[in-house]
Amino acid sequence: MLHLSKSFSLLCVLILAVVFSAARSEAQTDAAMSADPKIAAALKQVSADRIQANIERLVSFGTRLTLSAQDPESIAAGHGIGAAREWIRSEFERYSKDCGGCLEIKTDSFTEQPTERIPSATEITNVYAVLKGTDPENAKRIVLVTGHYDSRNSDTLDVKGDAPGANDDASGTAVSLECARVLSKMKFPATIIFLTVAGEEQGLNGSRHFAKMAKDAGWDLEAVLNNDIVGGDKSAEQDHSVIRVFSEGVPVASTEQDIRRIRGLGGESDSGSREVARYIADVGRVYDAGVKPMLIFRLDRYLRGGDHSSFNQQGFAAVRLTEFREDFHHQHQNVRLEDGIQYGDVMKFVDFDYVAHVARLNAATLAALAAAPAPPANVHLLTKGLENDSTLSWDASPGGLATAYEVVWRATTSPEWEHAQNVGNVMRTTMKMSKDNVIFAVRALDAAGHRSLPVVPTPER
Ligand SMILES: [Zn+2]
């Protein structure tokens, strides 16, 4: 008996050692956040079947070209972008009914004047749902998920022909919808916005208008997650285990003065967008979304653009999520069979389980940020004297949720935060290492372990 139990304990120790080393090697960091069991449970509610039904519905409108029909007859007939818009609105309203009216459903409508891809003045409507934060101070903070509900075929001016856009971007629209359905059952101190925009294919018109509105209204928009082509196209070379996360390096909204500072400090890889990308990577390590973020340190793919850049233009942190490998036979193509090749962005190429995984990653990121305290303000690195220690100071995280702060750091050559040290509920700390050798940041945390986005300090002389 004794012998048996001894070998049993030895086995347990061995198993634990293996599990521990596996967890360590996967994380490759001791700066990871901790999982919130409520968020982990909510992710299980994300449904591939519902996502499939929603994409099917969006495809059923024939075309969702921004220039397509939006008159009452077409809406009643279920054809064109107007019908798609009304359906999205009704879907958000249904989710709101299920949570006792917890969502505020809004539209952002405007008339776009003629441009290269808009032959005559066209009304463009963004549809969104607001899950207002429960804490009056923190409700001013916003995190946002978006996808574009417009579509196109080979000809971006073809208002009549089919443009199913199942992957581009009914998949991203379905992510916004499913995040709204699942997260509206929870409460967060900060606000979450679930957005679907139009006009993307005509020149990012919808997102540009929305981002400018947010800027003009002074919104405290902490992070924007743009999902565009997240259908996991079923091509042979697809990697369904990863999702690419694109983020800008030097912010497009930088002033000359910002750029001088960035150049001097080696801050090329610390834009707000990049910190959001790193946060998503962290979320991918601690929550089981079913897909792993693959960080790409550039704004977007070559020669391509997306709605996140509209937010970047206004100085907001915004990233783009896109499947690992796009199939260009299935994007911006008339549906047709040619030389044995099926062209067109149709349902059969979309992997609904994959879209559900991406929706889980989005939901976890939105929830983690909306549950967290605001980032600390006015983070500074004291550089007055020549010394090998590094003193950081900051103002309290606004909104009163923070109970402590962490200093995180990484080697200047490392893509992600490697270490974190809890320094308690203080506004100043000295690290026994040289600021010249690492990149520091400070983040706020609450009693439950929710982490804010980290803030890289500016030097104070
Ligand atoms: Zn797209």
Side-chain angles (χ1 to χ4, degrees), residues 148 150 167-169 200-201 228-229 305 320 332:
H148 70 87
D150 65 309
N167 191 349
D168 186 9
D169 183 31
E200 198 273 350
E201 303 290 9
D228 195 351
I229 312 175
R320 176 194 185 117
H332 303 187

Side-chain angles (χ1 to χ4, degrees), residues 35-257:
D36 175 335
K38 279 193 207 135
I39 296 175
L43 301 186
K44 296 201 168 70
Q45 304 301 312
V46 172
S47 155
D49 289 343
R50 275 182 179 270
I51 284 171
Q52 176 170 357
N54 288 346
I55 295 176
E56 239 156 34
R57 190 59 189 264
L58 287 161
V59 169
S60 78
F61 300 114
T63 177
R64 305 187 307 279
L65 189 80
T66 299
L67 313 172
S68 67
Q70 44 182 318
D71 56 284
E73 294 75 31
S74 303
I75 291 172
H79 194 87
I81 191 155
R85 176 192 73 209
E86 291 310 311
W87 175 76
I88 291 167
R89 196 206 316 247
S90 69
E91 198 64 9
F92 277 140
E93 274 161 3
R94 205 162 61 79
Y95 305 157
S96 188
K97 228 170 145 192
D98 288 347
C99 63
C102 75
L103 295 172
E104 198 183 341
I105 319 305
K106 302 183 101 167
T107 51
D108 162 38
S109 274
F110 61 100
T111 303
E112 192 70 284
Q113 294 308 315
T115 65
E116 199 188 327
R117 292 184 178 187
I118 299 180
S120 59
T122 300
E123 190 176 337
I124 294 179
T125 302
N126 303 315
V127 187
Y128 60 109
V130 182
L131 179 64
K132 200 159 168 45
T134 51
D135 179 82
E137 270 311 299
N138 285 280
K140 295 172 195 159
R141 299 167 45 220
I142 302 168
V143 291
L144 183 150
V145 61
T146 185
H148 70 87
Y149 71 92
D150 65 309
S151 67
R152 59 164 290 186
N153 57 29
S154 302
D155 175 4
T156 189
L157 301 177
D158 174 7
V159 299
K160 292 263 158 64
D162 274 353
N167 191 349
D168 186 9
D169 183 31
S171 66
T173 304
V175 166
S176 274
L177 286 168
E178 189 64 355
C179 285
R181 188 184 71 80
V182 168
L183 296 183
S184 58
K185 294 175 180 147
M186 300 178 74
K187 289 192 181 352
F188 303 95
T191 294
I192 307 178
I193 292 181
F194 310 93
L195 172 64
T196 68
V197 299
E200 198 273 350
E201 303 290 9
Q202 312 310 119
L204 315 180
N205 309 71
S207 58
R208 187 180 303 118
H209 190 268
F210 192 94
K212 189 167 183 310
M213 175 184 80
K215 172 78 178 192
D216 292 346
W219 286 11
D220 181 6
L221 192 47
E222 280 184 10
V224 173
L225 314 180
N226 172 33
N227 291 270
D228 195 351
I229 312 175
V230 293
D233 185 283
K234 293 175 188 165
S235 61
E237 295 92 345
Q238 188 62 274
D239 184 346
H240 293 274
S241 72
V242 297
I243 178 86
R244 290 183 292 174
V245 180
F246 291 86
S247 59
E248 66 174 0
V250 176
V252 67
S254 304
T255 62
E256 275 303 315
Q257 194 187 358

Side-chain angles (χ1 to χ4, degrees), residues 30-35 138 141 189 279 282 368-369 371-377 394-408 419-427 441-455:
D30 58 23
M33 63 175 80
S34 45
N138 285 280
R141 299 167 45 220
Y279 196 95
D282 211 4
L369 284 169
W394 56 90
D395 294 344
S397 153
L401 295 178
T403 54
Y405 298 87
E406 277 180 339
V407 174
V408 295
H419 308 287
Q421 187 175 315
N422 188 321
V423 295
N425 197 2
V426 297
M427 306 299 134
V442 182
R443 65 188 181 194
L445 60 152
D446 69 4
H450 300 115
R451 262 80 168 179
S452 76
L453 285 163
V455 181

